[in-house]
Amino acid sequence: MKLFYGWVIVAVGALMTCVGAGAMFSLAVFQRPMSADTGWSHAGISSAMTLDFLFMGVAGFAWGTASDRFGARPVALAGSALLGLGLALASRADTLLEFQLTYGIIVGIAGGAFFAPMIASVTTWFERNRSLAVSLVSAGIGVAPMTVSPFATWLIGAFGWRDAMLTVGIAAWVLLLPAALLIRPAPLASSDATSAMQTEIGTTSFTAAQAFRTPQFIVLALTFFFCCAAHSGPIFHMVSYAMICGISALAAVSIYSVEGLAGLGGRLLLGVMADRIGVKPVLVAGLLVQALAISAYLYVTRLEQFYLLSIVFGTAYGGVMPLYAVLAREYFGPRIMGTVFGAVTMASSIGMAFGPVAGGWIFDNFNDYRWLYIGSFAVALGAVAVSLAFPPLPSRSREQLQPS
């Protein structure tokens, strides 16, 4: 049997989200050795991640629009080149400001080239099993803590943080540039086929400007914003928090890896559930579990407790992430998917930007992360409340919603 090429696109997308997200989030394991070596504050180093998210969000909108117009391949090639360049330059930074600008801006711009464009590309390849396909691409983010972060930790121990960061950048070039050449448009992605598809499923044809003013877009963007604002701080400061509780550095990174593995499973589990029982109820339930898990971190101190809670937390926040793309595709169709999802991702990135710097500021001033988890819990409850306002999805036949 001939392999359906859409699954190749899924594999490429998963690799790109893994390496892209892994390179960015590996700053969590660089933070302490960098601070010890340079004397830079935790808040100062964490602010580079805040810049990452801000620039990734704006760039993701631009990259998504570019992918609608030119295709995902040139976007992925440009992002891959910039990712390696940003990490290489950041590894040679002599001042905190230089590090913040190189890591925070160049790596952030590069990171926006993978998620929204690849998700948009995959949604044009799949009508059935779309939630599962999108979840598999997003699963790359869940794999990142199990691959890039441990790799970076080993490199730091063996060669120091500067050579470790440079090596991660070179690895990004080696893996992503050839993979980007495998990307191709879906056979049904022509304007005629897209129009026919939209007519068939009853999806209203929006322009991007019209889409941005709809209740669907506003609720989608706000929910994604609050969701990411809630979990970004706990994710980024997980390793530092565990070490404060007396857990060794290697064990703390393993908690991060378990959380990533749970996120991978959550993406697959919630993706399959969304295909079968609907996206909205699965999303609302996942957001509620995320909120409860964040609050539970106030009460954990032992390694086994961290492992157990990381499974719940990772499953919840990892599982809901790809569902936003499915909702965007269902509401607005494939023609402007890159632009719309890029804009939604920009809102989520702004939310993600708050957590790292807030956690760093809290730790620098209180030598404790307790207020980070209290604040994140409140924001997570806000995400649940906003998600309940999602308008109904466009009318579709039951058969079309069923996976093949």
Side-chain angles (χ1 to χ4, degrees):
M1 293 180 62
K2 186 177 180 180
L3 174 68
F4 174 51
Y5 200 80
W7 294 115
V8 176
I9 304 299
V10 168
V12 170
L15 174 65
M16 291 189 163
T17 57
C18 173
V19 176
M24 285 183 58
F25 278 96
S26 66
L27 185 58
V29 301
F30 281 97
Q31 181 177 205
R32 289 180 71 88
M34 285 177 63
S35 181
D37 180 52
T38 63
W40 300 339
S41 69
H42 285 260
I45 297 171
S46 298
S47 66
M49 181 61 80
T50 296
L51 288 173
D52 260 330
F53 288 127
L54 291 173
F55 279 90
M56 182 179 70
V58 176
F61 179 37
W63 289 125
T65 302
S67 70
D68 282 340
R69 184 168 183 178
F70 304 111
R73 180 190 291 179
V75 168
L77 282 170
S80 301
L82 283 175
L83 180 63
L85 176 64
L87 291 168
L89 292 176
S91 72
R92 305 297 103 180
D94 293 322
T95 66
L96 177 58
L97 178 61
E98 185 180 348
F99 176 78
Q100 290 168 335
L101 294 178
T102 52
Y103 195 97
I105 296 178
I106 300 177
V107 174
I109 290 174
F114 305 122
F115 189 59
M118 289 309 303
I119 290 288
S121 178
V122 164
T123 61
T124 65
W125 280 88
F126 291 85
E127 276 301 296
R128 298 181 184 275
N129 292 319
R130 183 180 295 141
S131 295
L132 176 59
V134 169
S135 296
L136 288 170
V137 174
S138 180
I141 300 175
V143 174
M146 298 180 290
T147 53
V148 181
S149 293
F151 178 55
T153 301
W154 177 80
L155 289 172
I156 292 168
F159 306 107
W161 75 267
R162 291 187 183 276
D163 288 342
M165 189 172 290
L166 176 62
T167 302
V168 173
I170 294 172
W173 278 332
V174 171
L175 291 171
L176 298 187
L177 289 172
L181 298 176
L182 298 175
I183 300 171
R184 65 176 67 165
L188 297 179
S190 68
S191 58
D192 290 343
T194 296
S195 298
M197 188 189 309
Q198 289 180 321
T199 300
E200 178 186 349
I201 66 175
T203 302
T204 302
S205 179
F206 290 102
T207 65
Q210 291 170 335
F212 295 153
R213 297 193 297 269
T214 61
Q216 295 95 315
F217 176 82
I218 293 170
V219 174
L220 185 64
L222 284 176
T223 304
F224 210 177
F225 169 84
F226 284 117
C227 171
C228 291
H231 65 229
S232 62
I235 293 171
F236 184 79
H237 292 281
M238 175 68 64
V239 174
S240 295
Y241 178 58
M243 292 175 69
I244 289 173
C245 292
I247 296 171
S248 69
L250 189 58
V253 173
S254 73
I255 297 170
Y256 193 46
S257 298
V258 169
E259 187 178 286
L261 178 61
L264 172 62
R267 284 169 169 85
L268 301 179
L269 175 64
L270 271 65
V272 172
M273 290 176 62
D275 275 329
R276 297 186 181 279
I277 66 176
V279 181
K280 179 179 175 179
V282 174
L283 176 64
V284 173
L287 290 173
L288 180 59
V289 173
Q290 172 183 263
L292 296 175
I294 289 171
S295 68
Y297 274 106
L298 293 167
Y299 306 101
V300 300
T301 55
R302 299 196 304 271
L303 181 60
E304 62 271 19
Q305 294 174 329
F306 271 101
Y307 280 143
L308 179 60
L309 190 53
S310 69
I311 293 173
V312 178
F313 183 44
T315 299
Y317 84 73
V320 301
M321 294 299 283
L323 302 184
Y324 298 105
V326 177
L327 284 168
R329 174 62 168 77
E330 295 289 345
Y331 282 134
F332 303 106
R335 186 174 57 84
I336 57 171
M337 174 64 184
T339 302
V340 169
F341 192 59
V344 172
T345 302
M346 178 171 65
S348 74
S349 297
I350 294 172
M352 289 290 286
F354 285 103
V357 70
W361 182 88
I362 288 170
F363 180 78
D364 286 339
N365 285 274
F366 300 101
N367 201 34
D368 191 358
Y369 283 115
R370 188 168 303 273
W371 283 107
L372 171 65
Y373 290 98
I374 293 173
S376 295
F377 171 61
V379 175
L381 289 179
V384 176
V386 176
S387 70
L388 295 173
F390 271 115
L393 289 169
S395 177
R396 300 180 64 170
S397 70
R398 184 67 178 170
E399 291 75 12
Q400 286 169 316
L401 288 172
Q402 290 300 320
S404 53

